[in-house]
Amino acid sequence: MDEIDVLVVGAGPVGLTAAAELRRHGVGCRIVDRLPAPQHYAKAVGVQPRTLELWDAMGLVRAVLDEAVPMRGQLLFTDGRPGPRIDLVLPPDIPYAFAALPQYTTERLLTEHLARWDTHVERGSELVSLREDTDHVRAELRTPSGPATVRARYVIGADGAHSLVRKAAGLTFEGDAFPEQYMLGDVEVDWDLPEGYGVRSTHHDADGTVDDLLVCIPLPGRGRYRMSMTVPDELSTDGAAEDGVQHGLEGGRVPELRHIQAVLDRLSPQPVQASALRWSSTFRISHRLVNRYRSGRLFLAGDAAHIHPPTGAQGMNTGIQDAYNLAWKLALAVQGLGAEGLLDSYHAERHPVGEEVVGRTVRHARAGIGADADDLDLVMRREAQLLVGYPDSPLVAPADGSPPGGPAPGERAPDCRGLERELATYSVRLFDLLRSPRHTLLFHVGPGPAGSGAGTPDDHLGTAAVAALSAAHGRLDVYAVLAPGASAPQWRLPSVRDGAGEFAAAYGARPGEAFLVRPDGCLAGRFHPPTPDALVGCLRRTFTAG
């Protein structure tokens, strides 16, 4: 019987992210997938700015930027008439824009990234059964070499909407299916619409109900799009699924170029000829949410936990964030450093996110993105997944009083530019300091008699840093962020200078205030003043006291 710390089931973007992050955090894992080879399908295409931030921290973003194309917005057409144009524009404080990348490319890049740790997907290896015991999970596999048994301390089910891990855990997956059936096609067209814009064209019947639909998402390549549309009657099926979950690509007759051309003839905003059909399929959409993201030593992520309409490209990105949130917590648990409730925080943090995404995408599938919000900046940040936060998390220390601005505990820690390092002749970003797989503690040092700001002299800062390092078992990076005109603390710390004042502005930072950032880029707490007791109390929510 093979033994491993974590078994990851499913090698899509979610499972690959989980495996890569576990390895980056120093945990052994195996990742298995029942398919003998990756599918060359552009299923999930949209990549949100928040996902690019995570890939930045993982060390993957350069390869992604080399392959992806900008997603600049969407052109809307209703009953043959042009509608409003949506431009996907974010404020300048956000380091990445919206992007489009075929799912098969995303999987290839993640697979290559995972190989850095000499970890490879075990293809053609299908999970057959799971049995959970007191201190491990026994997994039975069907592999190309025959039956195999794996004994894992934990199992992550990233095995999609029909998840065997979810079924083995006995969890519910409540929801329903949309009655409509759709088809997808990866094609090229010869129109002259603006590059980088998606197209959504609808037709309404006499009652004002949408009775015909065309959605086109740009892909890398000239005039290339992934198109989705209502399926014609000749390709329609009853959609029956063995487990009752009607979601994703289906078998049966495959749409041909003529089927796609017929929809373009009806709904394209200008006369167009489709060509170069790379792949096509019919598919159905459901909206479901698992009742628990954790059951003992079994965890669910991605489509195994939540499925919903593809509106706004939220699904894959939400699943990647599931995996990113879970991996660092599992690593601490495996290494014996995690507090008792650490793994329960995965459900506490991610289940509300999944619930919100499912509800919002269902609304948007019927009424359009932004139909329930008047603030365009809010809509853009929300669709970019920059507003995802965990204010009610058991790991987050409530704010002491009312901070003057910046992120609240539980929210995303923002990036900022213009930081200066003594030996670097170029400016750096705050995210350059946050790429570590450890927690990061930032002391904002303002001008003052001792250089540390009001109420936080050097010896107090040093005492607080030592206490925090001990509470985190050394899994903590500590930096002083110096305000213009501030002197570096006499107690030696790595430091950067906030020469442009962007850190103080983005964080609403007060002199002497400290900010604790988790490995997933979430703010665990802010402290003014940063007393040892306050810092240790916050870290004890995550780390064992042993």
Side-chain angles (χ1 to χ4, degrees):
M1 184 185 299
D2 294 333
E3 296 192 3
I4 194 67
D5 290 329
V6 182
L7 174 66
V8 180
V9 183
V14 178
L16 288 165
T17 298
E21 279 298 278
L22 287 167
R23 298 297 293 120
R24 189 168 74 100
H25 284 271
V27 171
C29 75
R30 290 174 62 179
I31 177 169
V32 298
D33 195 283
R34 64 180 181 82
L35 296 176
Q39 293 180 316
H40 202 70
Y41 299 155
K43 292 184 290 185
V45 173
V47 179
Q48 304 297 351
R50 180 58 180 155
T51 298
L52 291 173
E53 291 183 350
L54 305 189
W55 285 344
D56 183 333
M58 290 171 60
L60 179 65
V61 76
R62 186 179 72 174
V64 172
L65 296 180
D66 287 346
E67 302 265 8
V69 295
M71 183 67 183
R72 295 191 169 95
Q74 188 175 61
L75 307 175
L76 304 178
F77 299 87
T78 304
D79 299 326
R81 298 184 300 273
R85 167 171 159 165
I86 299 175
D87 291 304
L88 297 177
V89 178
L90 289 167
D93 61 296
I94 308 302
Y96 296 104
F98 296 87
L101 188 68
Q103 181 171 328
Y104 59 81
T105 303
T106 298
E107 292 176 359
R108 173 175 58 80
L109 295 177
L110 282 165
T111 300
E112 293 170 354
H113 179 71
L114 177 61
R116 297 181 186 181
W117 292 277
D118 198 26
T119 302
H120 308 276
V121 178
E122 298 175 34
R123 289 273 170 202
S125 295
E126 181 177 7
L127 177 67
V128 176
S129 66
L130 288 171
R131 189 185 76 199
E132 186 175 0
D133 292 324
T134 304
D135 60 352
H136 71 278
V137 179
R138 181 187 177 101
E140 301 292 342
L141 304 177
R142 183 183 298 116
T143 78
S145 302
T149 302
V150 175
R151 176 185 167 115
R153 295 178 65 178
Y154 300 99
V155 173
I156 299 176
D159 48 343
H162 305 282
S163 169
L164 182 59
V165 177
R166 184 184 65 239
K167 296 168 186 174
L171 299 171
T172 63
F173 202 39
E174 297 298 326
D176 204 352
F178 283 81
E180 300 86 1
Q181 190 175 8
Y182 301 92
M183 61 182 180
L184 282 174
D186 181 345
V187 300
E188 295 177 12
V189 289
D190 57 358
W191 59 33
D192 59 0
L193 296 176
E195 189 175 320
Y197 280 81
V199 174
R200 180 184 175 90
S201 179
T202 56
H203 181 271
H204 297 75
D205 62 17
D207 297 327
T209 302
V210 174
D211 63 2
D212 210 356
L213 171 71
L214 170 67
V215 177
C216 311
I217 306 298
L219 294 171
R222 184 175 180 82
R224 184 183 169 202
Y225 293 81
R226 190 209 66 187
M227 296 188 176
S228 56
M229 57 209 75
T230 306
V231 76
D233 290 341
E234 66 177 289
L235 297 179
S236 183
T237 64
D238 60 12
E242 187 176 328
D243 60 0
V245 178
Q246 300 175 348
H247 191 80
L249 304 184
E250 297 184 318
R253 289 193 58 187
V254 175
E256 301 172 13
L257 193 60
R258 62 184 177 88
H259 296 116
I260 295 171
Q261 185 63 54
V263 179
L264 288 169
D265 291 343
R266 296 194 306 267
L267 293 175
S268 174
Q270 57 185 239
V272 69
Q273 186 69 38
S275 63
L277 176 62
R278 288 172 171 81
W279 71 273
S280 62
S281 178
T282 58
F283 72 102
R284 289 183 179 269
I285 299 171
S286 290
H287 51 94
R288 294 178 181 271
L289 180 68
V290 74
N291 60 318
R292 295 286 303 175
Y293 277 37
R294 178 194 182 190
S295 176
R297 294 179 175 272
L298 308 180
F299 298 83
L300 299 176
D303 283 359
H306 46 79
I307 54 176
H308 46 79
T311 315
Q314 299 294 293
M316 179 189 72
N317 295 273
T318 300
I320 287 171
Q321 291 194 45
D322 290 342
Y324 196 73
N325 178 286
L326 175 59
W328 68 269
K329 297 172 181 177
L330 272 179
L332 289 179
V334 166
Q335 293 156 356
L337 301 178
E340 184 176 348
L342 176 62
L343 295 183
D344 284 335
S345 73
Y346 174 60
H347 171 82
E349 293 181 353
R350 295 303 299 174
H351 187 271
V353 174
E355 187 174 37
E356 190 277 333
V357 169
V358 171
R360 171 161 48 90
T361 54
V362 169
R363 293 194 305 273
H364 288 177
R366 293 169 175 152
I369 293 176
D372 55 353
D374 297 324
D375 185 338
L376 185 59
D377 178 69
L378 174 67
V379 171
M380 289 298 105
R381 287 181 182 266
R382 184 186 63 196
E383 295 302 309
Q385 300 197 331
L386 299 167
L387 300 182
V388 172
Y390 317 117
D392 300 319
S393 169
L395 304 188
V396 169
D400 184 13
S402 299
E411 294 180 351
R412 162 185 170 269
D415 194 17
C416 58
R417 296 165 295 187
L419 300 179
E420 303 164 1
R421 302 206 71 171
E422 193 171 21
L423 297 179
T425 60
Y426 54 89
S427 63
V428 299
R429 299 162 47 206
L430 183 64
F431 278 8
D432 293 335
L433 308 183
L434 302 182
R435 290 196 183 100
S436 163
R438 296 177 289 276
H439 280 64
T440 303
L441 181 60
L442 305 169
F443 288 106
H444 185 233
V445 179
S452 299
T456 313
D458 275 359
D459 55 344
H460 290 184
L461 185 151
T463 301
V466 169
L469 279 163
S470 176
H473 302 274
R475 306 297 180 90
L476 179 70
D477 294 329
V478 185
Y479 290 94
V481 183
L482 311 177
S487 301
Q490 296 177 8
W491 195 84
R492 180 68 177 168
L493 279 179
S495 64
V496 294
R497 186 169 300 279
D498 185 22
E502 286 198 18
F503 176 83
Y507 282 77
R510 296 163 286 187
E513 188 169 13
F515 300 83
L516 181 64
V517 183
R518 305 187 333 185
D520 58 0
C522 169
L523 189 66
R526 51 189 301 176
F527 311 91
H528 189 255
T531 65
D533 286 347
L535 290 170
V536 170
C538 180
L539 288 163
R540 284 283 180 265
R541 294 167 178 260
T542 296
F543 293 92
T544 179

